[in-house]
Amino acid sequence: MPLALYDTADGVVRDVDTRGDEVGLYVCGITPYDSTHLGHAATYLTFDLVYRQLLANGHKVHYVQNITDVDDPLFERAERDGVDWRELGTSQIDLFRSDMEILSVIPPRDYIGAMEAVGEVVEMVQVLLDKGIAYPLVDASGACDIYAPISATEQFGYESNLDRATMEKYFAERGGDPDREGKRDPLDALLWRGHRDGEPAWDAPFGSGRPGWHIECSAIATNRLGQTFSIQGGGSDLAFPHHEFSAAHAEAAYDVERMAGHYVHTGMIALDGVKMSKSLGNLVFVHKLTEQGHEAGVIRLAVFSGHYRNDRDFSYGILDEAEARLARWRESLAGEVSEEEAVGVVDKLRAALANDLDTVTALQAVDDAAGDHDGIIARALDGLLGVQLR
Ligand code: 5CA
Ligand code: ZN
């Protein structure tokens, strides 16, 4: 059953491109300055389903994830707490990885920090400069930043499909600098931030500094998956400006039409109606849940009880329901059914997941099962949903 996913750019559910030796899957990783909260976990659990679905269909998958380990939030938090920003990053990456492991998330093949990829970013910025696309901007202190104009590609805007006013709003809210003096267009994106006092910097032919955010992902993705690849994923808050510019930078550098075949976005998880975010502090941490004794399968079922594309609420009520559901499954699946019946349940489960990860219908198929012939359903739950019955 081929996997169909909703593509933000085209606004349709269609089959993922699985031609070629390997399916390229790039998912934006964390900015490691605070613990993994359930919102992050929901996003990575969603792409874990994508990964499992592709593997179950017999494809080889090249899964790449970045870590934004050089960025302002890290420096600010490290300064607040009087620790080195590198140490803060390393400790948070370790925590994230152990959280993901506890949740049975299959790790990406490549897990690449921005620090590790500075050379790749420098190369790509140089390509954009050599092509006359990128332009430098020097500030009063003499620091030389490099920008990419939004006019670099004709198709700019195809990924997020937003009007100009909404782009400006999101750009300002999500790390952009619309008011920077001297930019050709307020929406032009930072490719390289020239060295300022107190900030880390790496050498580059165009002046020492550090990578901009969007090109970090363009470089890490395309250097491993090729100039075009199947899926670029992340939370819906990344659709603009981050994914629009990551795509535009790559498309301008390589003269390709479209970086990713699918741009896949997960809805935002809220706690009691308010979006879970580090800045608001209304966070439910994965490690807290597991410390309280909630098993991974329950957390997974709680997240999968809603559709990944919907903004949705997390609450302890939802967790309790997931706990009860898993307990019910353990009881009902202990019954005796024919092989045909068990296979029928798995077919329904697979068909639902193949249809844009319809976990709601998938879980209902298991709710309706009255037994598990030779553990056929148990194996499917383990492989496809990462939920263990035993
Ligand atoms: N390092 C960048 C991506 S290159 C970044 O956005 N990092 S992050 O730590 O802020 O977010 C990591 C992932 O979690 C992103 O895909 C983001 O969209 C997602 N995310 C953040 N908050 C939530 C939330 N409340 N619900 C669902 N996903 C979320
Ligand atoms: Zn990213």
Side-chain angles (χ1 to χ4, degrees):
M1 252 169 272
L3 173 62
L5 290 174
Y6 182 83
D7 168 40
T8 302
D10 292 350
V12 291
V13 174
R14 65 174 148 65
D15 287 358
V16 169
D17 186 353
T18 53
R19 294 169 298 177
D21 293 344
E22 292 189 319
V23 181
L25 170 63
Y26 183 85
V27 177
C28 282
I30 54 159
T31 304
Y33 72 96
D34 211 336
S35 310
T36 320
H37 61 64
L38 210 85
H40 301 130
T43 289
Y44 297 109
L45 284 170
T46 298
F47 289 101
D48 187 56
L49 289 186
V50 171
Y51 195 11
R52 287 167 183 269
Q53 207 47 39
L54 291 167
L55 293 174
N57 283 344
H59 303 296
K60 277 195 196 152
V61 183
H62 191 165
Y63 182 6
V64 180
Q65 207 179 105
N66 72 308
I67 311 158
T68 309
D69 58 4
V70 184
D71 204 5
D72 296 324
L74 254 138
F75 309 149
E76 284 157 17
R77 178 60 61 92
E79 173 137 350
R80 188 197 80 177
D81 296 350
V83 293
D84 183 80
W85 62 272
R86 288 176 202 82
E87 274 164 35
L88 173 67
T90 309
S91 64
Q92 292 306 323
I93 293 164
D94 288 348
L95 271 178
F96 173 70
R97 295 183 87 149
S98 86
D99 281 349
M100 291 301 107
E101 200 180 319
I102 289 168
L103 292 180
S104 310
V105 170
I106 307 176
R109 189 192 302 173
D110 296 318
Y111 190 47
I112 312 290
M115 245 188 287
E116 229 181 306
V118 169
E120 299 174 31
V121 170
V122 169
E123 237 172 70
M124 205 163 163
V125 173
Q126 190 64 58
V127 169
L128 290 166
L129 282 167
D130 291 345
K131 289 185 130 185
I133 293 168
Y135 65 94
L137 197 56
V138 180
D139 83 348
S141 75
C144 178
D145 303 320
I146 313 283
Y147 280 88
I150 63 162
S151 58
T153 52
E154 258 172 48
Q155 64 272 30
F156 185 87
Y158 79 88
E159 184 269 339
S160 55
N161 296 299
L162 300 172
D163 57 40
R164 173 86 194 191
T166 312
M167 283 187 189
E168 284 179 5
K169 178 175 175 292
Y170 288 162
F171 190 83
E173 288 171 3
R174 299 171 178 172
D177 54 355
D179 300 326
R180 171 72 193 275
E181 232 171 282
K183 286 201 323 184
R184 294 180 192 161
D185 186 300
L187 292 183
D188 289 353
L190 184 71
L191 290 171
W192 184 256
R193 180 171 160 87
H195 185 206
R196 267 94 172 161
D197 276 352
E199 292 184 12
W202 288 262
D203 288 339
F206 36 83
S208 69
R210 60 181 163 101
W213 175 30
H214 315 308
I215 196 155
E216 165 191 335
C217 284
S218 330
I220 292 174
T222 57
N223 282 323
R224 287 159 190 81
L225 302 176
Q227 298 177 352
T228 63
F229 53 89
S230 292
I231 300 171
Q232 152 79 312
S236 59
D237 59 341
L238 298 186
F240 192 88
H242 185 53
H243 288 171
E244 191 75 62
F245 276 109
S246 295
H249 296 337
E251 290 154 11
Y254 308 129
D255 290 315
V256 293
E257 192 68 14
R258 187 171 160 138
M259 181 181 77
H262 272 75
Y263 297 90
V264 177
H265 295 107
T266 57
M268 290 292 113
I269 301 291
L271 182 64
D272 300 322
V274 182
K275 180 192 155 183
M276 228 180 255
S277 78
K278 290 170 184 172
S279 46
L280 292 175
N282 60 336
L283 306 177
V284 174
F285 293 114
V286 172
H287 65 95
K288 283 270 154 51
L289 292 178
T290 54
E291 278 159 25
Q292 288 164 3
H294 300 289
E295 65 179 293
V298 168
I299 299 173
R300 292 182 77 108
L301 287 184
V303 167
F304 300 154
S305 66
H307 191 257
Y308 79 92
R309 276 203 279 137
N310 296 337
D311 290 342
R312 56 204 196 278
D313 224 36
F314 176 81
S315 65
Y316 283 90
I318 291 173
L319 201 64
D320 290 345
E321 281 166 27
E323 201 124 45
R325 178 177 238 157
L326 189 58
R328 268 198 321 272
W329 284 3
R330 283 177 173 144
E331 232 166 82
S332 64
L333 293 176
E336 287 289 325
V337 290
S338 67
E339 181 175 352
E340 198 184 345
E341 270 177 84
V343 169
V345 171
V346 172
D347 282 348
K348 278 192 203 156
L349 175 73
R350 293 201 61 173
L353 291 173
N355 175 25
D356 196 30
L357 307 179
D358 181 358
T359 51
V360 178
T361 305
L363 301 194
Q364 271 160 13
V366 184
D367 287 342
D368 296 340
D372 189 8
H373 187 86
D374 280 344
I376 290 172
I377 300 172
R379 283 197 296 279
L381 288 176
D382 189 3
L384 293 170
L385 290 177
V387 173
Q388 276 120 34
L389 288 181
R390 311 256 157 254

